Each structure stands twice: as structure tokens, then as C-alpha cells.
Amino acid sequence: NQHNENVTVSHNRIINNAGTNLAGGVGLFAGSDGYEVAHNDICGNYSLEYGGGLSVYGRSPGGSIHHNRIYFNESTDEGGGIMLAGALPANPDDLSTGTGPVDVYSNLIQANLSNDDGGGIRFLQAGGAGGTDEMNVVNNIIVNNVSSHEGGGISLNDAPNVRIVNNTIMKNLTTATAVTSNGQ
């Protein structure tokens, strides 16, 4: 199991990229321990699956996502702006190992679109076994994001240890028009 500790993505313009699965603009995968994504413009990226702008998929503890402008990104599935997802376990009876602890702070997350859950930020099986991984969403501006199923601004599933503190979260929209939606 190879680990790429202290991965840094900083001071970039990441614009108009596309991916067929798991990430559109930036994709960090299991073993990117101690990653930092900071001071970037992540704009106009597209993913056919998860994380139009930024995707963290699999266990990479000690991450931080801060001081970015994440806007006008889209995913056909989940996480238009940011996707934080634990990898699916080989045995479906087991829990995902999650993403590891992460801090998401001081970002502008605006005008992203998810054609399922989490227009701005999506947490999916991110909490790790036993839900011990701390995830903090602090001092962000999360505005004008759209999802077609649930969670226009933020959507959480199997992420029991998330703190959402001192953010501006407004004018996000869930249309409830996804194939899996009952319209409510």
C-alpha cells in the first residue's frame, strides 16, 4: 500500500477539465495522507460521476481544503463542488474505511451543480469505521449551489462526526427532479 504523504495542490487555476468517474478537476485518492488543497480557482470542471470540482475518494487522513474558489463545477452524479467519499468495501457487509479526518475552511463554494446529491459539498461514507473521523466545515461561503435530488448546499450520508460551524449557507436549491427522487 503506497502512500503519497503531504500532497499539496496550491495556487492554481484549474479550469474546464472533465473526468469520466470519481473526479472532474482535482482527484485525490486513498493514500494521499496529509493533503492540502489551498488558494486555487477550481472552475468549470465536469465529472460523469463524483466530484465535479474536487473529489477525495478513499482514506487519506489529515486533509485540509482551504482558501479556494470552487465555482461553476458540475457532476452527473454526486458532489458538484466537493465530494468527500469513502471507498466501497470489498465485502458489502463491512463499513467503508472513510476518507480520514478533514478540515474544509475559508472557501467560496458557489454555483456548482450536482445531478444527484450535494450541489456544494457531498459527504458519502466519509466517517470511517465507527464514525471516529472528525470532519470540520468552518468559515465557508456556500451559496447558489443546486442538486437535483438532495442537499443543494451540503449533503451528508454515513458521515456521523461532521461539524458545520460559522458558515454562510444560503440560496442553495434542491429541485427533487432526479430519477431517484419522489418529488418532495
Side-chain angles (χ1 to χ4, degrees), residues 41-180:
D41 274 346
I42 302 173
C43 177
N45 300 289
Y46 176 79
S47 174
L48 277 172
E49 191 180 23
Y50 292 164
L54 167 64
S55 186
V56 177
Y57 186 83
R59 189 155 188 83
S60 298
S64 66
I65 300 167
H66 63 92
H67 294 93
N68 299 287
R69 293 190 313 170
I70 301 171
Y71 55 108
F72 296 122
N73 300 288
E74 180 181 354
S75 66
T76 298
D77 199 353
E78 303 185 30
I82 299 173
M83 178 73 179
L84 298 162
L88 294 173
N91 180 346
D93 293 330
D94 293 341
L95 294 173
S96 171
T97 58
T99 61
V102 60
D103 293 317
V104 180
Y105 62 94
S106 301
N107 297 286
L108 170 64
I109 302 166
Q110 179 177 13
N112 298 289
L113 171 64
S114 165
N115 286 300
D116 196 356
D117 299 331
I121 304 174
R122 172 71 164 135
F123 290 90
L124 178 63
Q125 298 181 11
T132 57
D133 292 342
E134 290 186 13
M135 289 168 262
N136 300 299
V137 179
V138 180
N139 293 332
N140 298 284
I141 299 172
I142 304 169
V143 295
N144 297 320
N145 299 288
V146 177
S147 72
S148 65
H149 192 199
E150 297 172 342
I154 302 173
S155 177
L156 297 99
N157 279 78
D158 297 324
N161 200 359
V162 179
R163 290 162 189 77
I164 301 172
V165 179
N166 201 41
N167 298 282
T168 299
I169 304 172
M170 61 183 279
K171 292 191 175 183
N172 298 289
L173 177 66
T174 299
T175 63
T177 57
V179 172
T180 53

